[in-house]
Amino acid sequence: MTSTDSAQKAPAKDPWDLPDVSGLVVGVLGGTGPQGKGLAYRLARAGQKVIIGSRAADRAHAAAEELGNGVEGADNAETARRSDIVIVAVPWEGHGKTLESLREELAGKLVVDCVNPLGFDKQGAYALKPEEGSAAQQAAALLPGSRVTAAFHHLSAVLLADPEIEEIDTDVMVLGEERADVEIVQALAGRIPGMRGVFSGRLRNAHQVEALVANLISVNRRYKAHAGLRVTDV
């Protein structure tokens, strides 16, 4: 019998065995906008330490005071420096310049890009395709010293901000290159009641996830809804 035959095969890791992220500080760049502010509120309400960032520190301070739940406000650079995980929720138009200006502060950080490159015309929303392939891939190209993931694209800012809603009934598609990083983001999503993070591939698959928001906008307009996603049989 060879040593290979006698060696016991390690059991497969349970994909739902996720790390404890409750002690991590989460920064939200673009935290004064609807999506960033809503995410900050939900995470802080769940007990996460949250700092919201803005180009103007006074705007961030005012938004943080409005949110309560221990949320702090700072300019984008300070937010990046003080956070373990940094969620990028800035408008697509300022995505590249913002990240380029924060390359040093974001070095070594786990970055979660939730930006959706979209255009709008008389027919409604439509997806844009960045030169790099997606917003997340653009972030990875601009932040070579950071660990870039993509998540939180399909959330309704209206539902996130509504204090009367206890649970957000949705799955969060999480993409990234390293399993450990993806699992941290999955666990962070799972901190919000009703929400679940689901691994959905590497960053090269981020474009279609970002683009799907255009379809959800069409759903919401037709049915007067705040649609999200659920992945079945998982």
Side-chain angles (χ1 to χ4, degrees):
M1 181 181 293
T2 67
S3 58
T4 305
D5 294 330
S6 59
Q8 289 190 348
K9 189 176 180 181
K13 186 179 185 297
D14 181 352
W16 297 112
D17 180 15
L18 301 174
D20 177 9
V21 297
S22 59
L24 300 181
V25 178
V26 179
V28 184
L29 304 182
T32 58
Q35 193 80 356
K37 197 172 178 181
L39 266 173
Y41 170 65
R42 285 291 159 180
L43 289 168
R45 180 168 156 170
Q48 206 76 33
K49 175 60 188 173
V50 177
I51 306 170
I52 56 175
S54 174
R55 284 178 298 176
D58 55 345
R59 287 184 61 204
H61 291 310
E65 187 174 343
E66 180 186 339
L67 291 177
N69 291 285
V71 176
E72 293 185 43
D75 63 33
N76 282 332
E78 182 182 343
T79 297
R81 281 193 298 267
R82 292 178 55 196
S83 302
D84 302 304
I85 306 174
V86 179
I87 297 173
V88 181
V90 299
W92 166 241
E93 293 73 20
H95 182 264
K97 287 185 178 179
T98 299
L99 296 184
E100 197 169 15
S101 70
L102 297 170
R103 181 177 293 156
E104 183 177 337
E105 291 84 357
L106 290 171
K109 306 289 184 177
L110 175 54
V111 174
V112 187
D113 200 300
C114 69
V115 175
N116 302 304
L118 295 176
F120 295 87
D121 59 19
K122 291 181 179 180
Q123 296 183 61
Y126 60 95
L128 303 175
K129 190 157 188 178
E131 182 180 344
E132 299 83 355
S134 64
Q137 288 170 294
Q138 183 183 88
L142 292 172
L143 304 172
S146 304
R147 296 135 55 207
V148 176
T149 61
F152 301 117
H153 300 91
H154 306 135
L155 305 180
S156 162
V158 174
L159 297 184
L160 290 172
D162 189 340
E164 299 300 314
I165 294 175
E166 296 292 332
E167 297 188 359
I168 305 293
D169 180 26
T170 193
D171 284 332
V172 172
M173 303 181 81
V174 184
L175 304 97
E177 299 303 317
E178 299 295 333
R179 180 166 183 161
D181 294 337
V182 169
E183 289 182 346
I184 289 172
V185 181
Q186 286 181 265
L188 186 66
R191 296 274 288 158
I192 300 173
M195 200 174 287
R196 184 180 66 157
V198 179
F199 170 65
S200 302
R202 294 178 178 267
L203 287 186
R204 68 180 185 180
N205 292 321
H207 169 67
Q208 56 263 39
V209 173
E210 297 168 1
L212 188 57
V213 174
N215 302 90
L216 290 178
I217 290 172
S218 297
V219 170
N220 290 337
R221 287 182 173 173
R222 173 64 60 90
Y223 299 103
K224 312 299 181 188
H226 302 292
L229 293 179
R230 276 293 188 201
V231 180
T232 62
D233 199 33
V234 174

